Amino acid sequence: RPGQFAWLKIGTSPFVFEEHPFTIASAATQPWRKEFTIRGMGDFSELVSGLKPGRRVFLDGPHGSFTLDGLRSDRFLFIAGGVGVTPMLSMLRTLAARGDHRPVVLIVAGRTADELLHRADAEHLEDSLDLTVLEILEDPPEDWDGVVGRFTVDALHHALPRRRGREHLDVFICGPAPMVAAADGIVSDHGVPSKRIHTELFDVV
C-alpha cells in the first residue's frame, strides 16, 4: 500500500544481521517494482548509495500502516520534513496512477534546497493531480522566492480548507521527531480530528 516501508538487507543471505527500514517510494499500482529514495547520510545509506547494478539485496516487507488506502477523505494534506517526503511520493504516484483527483496539498520543509527530494517528480505529478506544493527552507539560496523558516501556523493557514471541510481532511506528517511533534500540535489546534492525523518518524540510519 502507498506509504509502507520494507527492511533492506545487503549480503549473501536474507538472514544477515544488519537490516534497515526504507520507505517504498514507487506507486503501489506496480507491485513488481520497488523504488527507494535514499540519501547517503549514514553508514548504511552510504553503503546503499555505492551499490552497483546486479548486486543482490534482500527486501522484507511491505510493512506499516502509514497509508491512505481505505480512507474516505475528501482531500489530503501532506507535511514532510526532509527525507520524510518519501512515503508521500508513493502516495502521490499511486493517486496519479489511479486517476484519483482528490485535492492534495504537499508542504515540504527542509534546511537547504538539496533536501527538497520531491522536485524530481513535482512537475509531472502536478500535471496528473490536483496538487499544490508549498516549500519551506531554513537556509535558502539567494534566488529563493518561497517561504523562509520552519513549518508554522502561517504555513498551515494556506493549506487547510475552511473549518467545516477539516472533518473530511486526512493529514499525513513524516519527518524528524521534533518537526512531527510540532506539526501534529499545530494541526490538532486547528480543528483536525486526531483520528485523521497520521504520523511517522524518520531518522538517519
Side-chain angles (χ1 to χ4, degrees):
R1 296 175 291 169
Q4 290 187 300
F5 70 92
W7 293 92
L8 178 62
K9 308 176 184 184
I10 301 174
T12 57
S13 164
F15 304 106
V16 294
F17 176 74
E18 187 175 17
E19 61 179 5
H20 294 274
F22 292 99
T23 299
I24 301 167
S26 47
T29 53
Q30 297 180 319
W32 58 88
R33 174 183 172 85
K34 295 291 177 280
E35 180 178 336
F36 299 86
T37 300
I38 302 173
R39 291 195 64 190
M41 299 176 63
D43 291 343
F44 188 79
S45 54
E46 288 285 0
L47 175 63
V48 171
S49 68
L51 291 177
K52 303 298 183 183
R55 176 69 184 272
R56 176 175 291 183
V57 299
F58 298 92
L59 299 179
D60 177 5
H63 301 288
S65 58
F66 190 72
T67 179
L68 51 73
D69 272 12
L71 298 178
R72 297 183 178 181
S73 317
D74 287 345
R75 61 185 64 226
F76 299 102
L77 170 59
F78 298 158
I79 304 172
V83 74
V85 76
T86 50
M88 281 69 162
L89 288 177
S90 177
M91 294 180 194
L92 290 171
R93 289 169 171 169
T94 301
L95 290 172
R98 291 173 176 171
D100 190 326
H101 295 291
R102 283 177 287 179
V104 183
V105 175
L106 170 64
I107 301 178
V108 185
R111 190 176 64 84
T112 67
D114 290 339
E115 296 184 8
L116 300 178
L117 305 180
H118 68 288
R119 284 191 164 188
D121 284 297
E123 183 177 351
H124 166 69
L125 291 172
E126 287 178 325
D127 291 342
S128 305
L129 298 169
D130 184 355
L131 173 64
T132 302
V133 180
L134 175 64
E135 299 173 338
I136 306 172
L137 291 182
E138 295 181 40
D139 185 16
E142 293 183 1
D143 60 347
W144 179 253
D145 60 358
V147 179
V148 178
R150 298 185 179 183
F151 177 72
T152 63
V153 173
D154 290 338
L156 186 63
H157 280 311
H158 295 288
L160 283 176
R162 295 182 181 273
R163 183 167 294 276
R164 183 179 298 177
R166 297 174 192 178
E167 297 179 358
H168 304 286
L169 167 77
D170 271 277
V171 181
F172 289 82
I173 307 171
C174 186
M179 173 264 174
V180 170
D184 188 358
I186 292 173
V187 172
S188 297
D189 290 344
H190 280 71
V192 178
S194 59
K195 65 181 180 180
R196 290 191 173 274
I197 303 175
H198 317 272
T199 62
E200 187 150 281
L201 305 180
F202 268 31
D203 206 345
V204 176
V205 297

